[in-house]
Amino acid sequence: MTTVCPYTITAASVDTLADLGGQIAVLVSLNGQLGGLGTQLDARMHGALSGAVNSPAFEKASAGDCLTIGFPSGIAADAVLVVKLGADATQDEARKAGAALAKAKGDKSLHVLASDMARLTDLALGLLLRDYRFDAHMTKAPDPRGHIDFCVDDPEAARDKIAAAKDIAEGVFFTRDLTNEPANVLTTTDFADRLKAMEDIGLTVEVLEEDELERLGMGALLCVGQGSDSPTKVVVMQWNGGTEGEAPFALVGKGVVFDTGGISLKPGAGMWDMTMDMGGAGVVSGVMKTLALRKAKANVVGLVGIVENMPSGNAVRPGDVVTSMKGDTIEVQNTDAEGRLVLADVLWYAQDRFAPTGMINLATLTGAMVVALGHENAGVFSNDDTLCDAFLKAAASESEGAWRMPLGDAYDALLKSRVADMKNIGGRPAGSITAAQFLKRFVKDDMPWCHLDIAGVASRSSQTNLAPAGATGWGVMALNRLIAEHYEG
Ligand code: BES
Ligand code: MN
Ligand code: ZN
């Protein structure tokens, strides 16, 4: 498990500046104002800091950029990182600055002189998030994580601000770890065990096993896993920090720990990426973790369908007809369109058991979503403008790309089957929309609902502003914000 880099918070003191080892980060306003500690530091460095600040490089730098002064004379530190960040910095600028520090930090310890605490949470969040590494399976000892020390004027006030960042980073890291983990490690059982372990932080976690899922009639979900030796599970995570007895908001995730396509086998090239096909369930799990850590004043239930899609003598065949928990029958024309089968039953179960006030599901559902929006935006499908707009606003506030896509009865007609109530594919045109239409059949008419197709955003082949290459944790911050702004207090 990757945990957030350890950090300390100390009272800023000019007396120790010269003796600090590792690296020192100093925040400098856009117009080059050094501030109290910066001025002291500059004096110890014989003016090298003001020299840097008066250089064309500083002038050209944008807010949130970081310049490095290597081997400064007059102080013990190896480097001084000059961060261009004003007191009125935006959230994005502060996070970008934090990320720049994470990249510059490497394995050295870092002292962040942050007398100005206006954007301390965001600076810390950028730093913590960009400092993530997934090295669980590297046999060569990973570089030790450098220690972070926030040197602030008011350690007591800073503690809460940095803890707020840590609660979010822990949730995002949980999502990233789950999504990065290969399928031989993150088996269905291992996944459920990791979720069960969140009881330690106050969540109520139930694991529904196959016999129970059969009893509930989840024929759509169960057919996906019937070719795998790993047992299918549904995990229910409840956080009840809101009014007792009040209906929860529901988050539902696709947790296909590996998607071979089944009998409709995927091509070999790139199949390894399907280790991240549980990304939707990963985001739900990460959000639940953050809600519990920050003791959110809301009732939220997270439900994930955990299953492996394998070909075998027992696997579901193209043409098989299965019966969903709702009772509708489905002709499985393509065993690779398995995510919607998983979600059909878990969405229905969520409504049947919890009668939630609203519901958002996340899934790496269709390759067509990547074709449509690339890796910059998730597709958002919704039957409710209020919920959809609230989510889009929350996503925009967190700079997590999201773009609304259409639903419509005309697309729904493409799911007509000759032998059953519906088939699980709608053909090549509008592949992401027909998948969403399929899900919509399992959402009750008056239930506010969003489907987030995160196929393009769950994982990236190169680094982003706040994450190294690999799983991004996209959506944890947007959903956490949505809940904070609309379901608390
Ligand atoms: N997990 C895939 C979708 C996917 C593709 C996610 C690429 C991330 C990157 C999903 O189960 C799938 O295979 N979908 C099929 C649907 C088709 C058979 C209708 C697809 O997109 O090809
Ligand atoms: Mn598939
Ligand atoms: Zn899949």
Side-chain angles (χ1 to χ4, degrees), residues 289-376:
K289 181 159 197 170
T290 289
L291 293 178
L293 289 176
R294 71 175 182 79
K295 305 206 181 330
K297 291 185 176 53
N299 296 342
V300 181
V301 58
L303 304 102
V304 294
I306 302 180
V307 57
E308 186 178 42
N309 188 18
M310 295 288 270
S312 90
N314 296 322
V316 66
R317 289 161 290 253
D320 283 3
V321 174
V322 299
T323 304
S324 65
M325 180 182 174
K326 180 186 174 192
D328 290 357
T329 58
I330 303 162
E331 180 191 356
V332 182
Q333 282 199 343
N334 191 321
T335 64
D336 198 12
E338 85 297 343
R340 62 198 76 182
L341 298 172
V342 173
L343 289 173
D345 279 340
V346 184
L347 285 169
W348 194 258
Y349 178 73
Q351 296 163 95
D352 189 61
R353 175 165 169 198
F354 293 102
T357 56
M359 187 163 68
I360 294 184
N361 76 257
L362 298 99
T364 49
L365 202 64
T366 63
M369 200 71 253
V370 191
V371 176
L373 297 179
H375 300 283
E376 305 303 333

Side-chain angles (χ1 to χ4, degrees), residues 26 28 32 34 37-55 69 72-75 80 82:
V26 56
V28 179
L34 288 183
L37 285 172
T39 306
Q40 294 286 341
L41 187 63
D42 189 41
R44 308 275 161 116
M45 293 167 69
H46 315 300
L49 177 56
S50 46
V53 168
N54 291 319
S55 72
I69 304 173
S73 72
I75 59 175
V80 170
V82 185

